[in-house]
Amino acid sequence: MNKYVLTRFISKYNLNGNVSSVVINSKDDILSTRFITGDKSLLGELKLDNWTFEDANLGVYDTEQLSKLLDVLSDDIEIKLKSFDTKAVALEVSDDYAKVNYMLSDLSVINQPPALKQLPEFQVKIKVNTKFITKFISGKGALPDTDTFTVVTDDDTVKVVIGYSAINTNRVNIPVETEANNIEKAVTFNANLFKEVLVANRECTSAVLEVSNEGLARVNFKVDDYDSTYYVVAMQDVD
């Protein structure tokens, strides 16, 4: 197996350390997980098709430790599951020169994301393409101390503004293309988290960011065998 298949999966839920503990399900050649950040402002669902491995529920408590162990190995790896009384207890991962052992956690010690209730209607649908991803990541890099971005409507146009405020501030305005636009007010989200979502899925050239007046955003990325969806809860209105 190419290690990049697994590390790419990890990056899409770990989001640069924002999610560490997950239960990963391997079943019927599909690898999947549901995850939530510690502050409960982002919930996600991730699926990888064409995953050839035995069926198991894998309790990963410390993703950062798993990533560091995988870094020891070269690109071509073999993964074996260690079990005790039908319970998965460890992953043994090896290449031609080294072998690492990662201890799996009891599933009960990992916080499971809540089931999604009925979703609201989404009033604006923003096209997320390579240009938007690049501009947002660069804009956030230019404003490292700015924690928010806001979806703003102005007449018939929509902008994504990093550092939006009613007063004059340093900010980045990103005009966007929309598929629908019925948003009634500015809605603000965590820019740090959203940047990590874009970084983890920057190879996707076409996606849609949906925003609801009720304070929820959803974005889905489909690329290669990966299907990832992120739900982001709005922050309090900025001044």
Side-chain angles (χ1 to χ4, degrees), residues 112-170:
Q112 294 289 310
L116 288 172
K117 299 178 181 178
Q118 185 174 356
L119 294 174
E121 294 291 329
F122 293 98
Q123 281 73 39
V124 63
K125 297 183 179 181
I126 298 169
K127 293 183 180 180
V128 176
N129 52 27
T130 301
K131 183 176 180 180
F132 174 85
I133 292 173
T134 301
K135 291 295 184 185
F136 192 98
I137 294 172
S138 297
K140 183 63 185 72
L143 297 171
D145 297 325
T146 299
D147 296 328
T148 64
F149 79 94
T150 305
V151 179
V152 181
T153 183
D154 183 10
D155 296 326
D156 292 330
T157 63
V158 175
K159 295 183 292 186
V160 170
V161 183
I162 303 171
Y164 176 80
S165 176
I167 62 175
N168 198 19
T169 59
N170 292 328

Side-chain angles (χ1 to χ4, degrees), residues 24-224:
I24 299 176
N25 177 259
S26 175
K27 186 175 182 180
D28 298 333
D29 294 333
I30 295 174
L31 192 67
S32 64
T33 188
R34 299 180 71 246
F35 51 93
I36 191 168
T37 57
D39 62 2
K40 297 181 171 58
S41 64
L42 181 147
L43 183 149
E45 300 173 333
L46 172 60
K47 183 177 72 171
L48 168 64
D49 291 328
N50 298 314
W51 168 260
T52 305
F53 195 68
E54 59 189 287
D55 292 355
N57 288 315
L58 312 174
V60 177
Y61 188 78
D62 188 345
T63 293
E64 289 71 27
Q65 182 65 76
L66 175 59
S67 295
K68 289 177 181 177
L69 288 171
L70 291 174
D71 285 344
V72 174
L73 305 173
S74 58
D75 291 340
D76 189 16
I77 61 172
E78 181 181 3
I79 306 175
K80 294 181 180 179
L81 180 66
K82 292 183 178 180
S83 301
F84 181 76
D85 288 341
T86 71
K87 180 181 178 181
V89 296
L91 288 176
E92 184 181 274
V93 192
S94 60
D95 61 14
D96 289 338
Y97 305 99
K99 181 185 298 182
V100 301
N101 193 74
Y102 178 78
M103 297 302 297
L104 298 169
S105 297
D106 191 281
L107 305 186
S108 64
V109 305
I110 297 175
N111 289 329
Q112 294 289 310
L116 288 172
K117 299 178 181 178
Q118 185 174 356
L119 294 174
E121 294 291 329
F122 293 98
Q123 281 73 39
V124 63
K125 297 183 179 181
I126 298 169
K127 293 183 180 180
V128 176
N129 52 27
T130 301
K131 183 176 180 180
F132 174 85
I133 292 173
T134 301
K135 291 295 184 185
F136 192 98
I137 294 172
S138 297
K140 183 63 185 72
L143 297 171
D145 297 325
T146 299
D147 296 328
T148 64
F149 79 94
T150 305
V151 179
V152 181
T153 183
D154 183 10
D155 296 326
D156 292 330
T157 63
V158 175
K159 295 183 292 186
V160 170
V161 183
I162 303 171
Y164 176 80
S165 176
I167 62 175
N168 198 19
T169 59
N170 292 328
R171 65 182 69 181
V172 175
N173 293 286
I174 306 174
V176 294
E177 297 180 60
T178 59
E179 297 178 2
N181 176 20
N182 296 298
I183 198 165
E184 298 171 355
K185 61 179 182 179
V187 189
T188 298
F189 300 94
N190 186 313
N192 300 303
L193 274 178
F194 191 65
K195 183 205 77 172
E196 297 303 340
V197 167
L198 295 180
V199 169
N201 296 277
R202 67 192 310 166
E203 74 275 23
C204 184
T205 59
S206 179
V208 175
L209 171 63
E210 301 172 287
V211 180
S212 166
N213 287 322
E214 297 180 35
L216 184 71
R218 175 177 67 184
V219 60
N220 171 254
F221 300 92
K222 290 186 176 73
V223 60
D224 302 331

